[in-house]
Amino acid sequence: MRSRFTAFQLRDADYLRESWDPGKRPASLDFEGDTRTWSRLEIVGTIGGGENDDRGVVEFKAQFELGDDTYLIHEVSRFHRVAGRWVYLDGTINYHGKIAHKGEILRNAPCPCGSGKKYKKCCGGSAKRSGGA
């Protein structure tokens, strides 16, 4: 997973395609005009994927910047071995959306503390209730 994130950062379409399941990989990947800057990867958890496993699941959160906005993707991805190599099979996106503008967290974004609550109902709301900024 980390190597694929790095490949997205570097816009390495060849590596991404090679690390995709042969039956599911796109015919081509084109980063022309893609101005996203991938900035952060957090591995939330894994199931399987060890040395003696043939399948694995990775839950992750990835952030990217696009202009003045910050976006978050929260995905659960499945991987399996093909000819001894780990490849991406598919994934389920749990959240994909804008979380900040010019560095300011949006009220309806997931709270960065990891509580699972919206920012306004968690850390963003506590400052307002206590009279802080």
Side-chain angles (χ1 to χ4, degrees), residues 105-117:
I105 300 168
L106 301 177
R107 291 175 38 79
N108 286 321
C111 193
C113 77
S115 68
K117 297 178 182 178

Side-chain angles (χ1 to χ4, degrees), residues 17-38:
R17 287 194 70 255
E18 289 171 16
S19 63
W20 217 307
D21 178 84
K24 296 200 171 215
R25 77 175 56 132
S28 65
L29 286 173
D30 183 9
F31 288 105
E32 183 83 24
D34 183 357
T35 60
R36 289 179 289 188
T37 302
W38 292 92

Side-chain angles (χ1 to χ4, degrees), residues 64-84:
F64 65 88
E65 274 54 63
L66 184 60
D68 289 336
D69 299 321
T70 303
Y71 292 83
L72 176 74
I73 296 173
H74 183 179
E75 182 175 325
V76 177
S77 296
R78 295 188 312 152
F79 291 82
H80 66 155
R81 288 188 199 262
V82 172

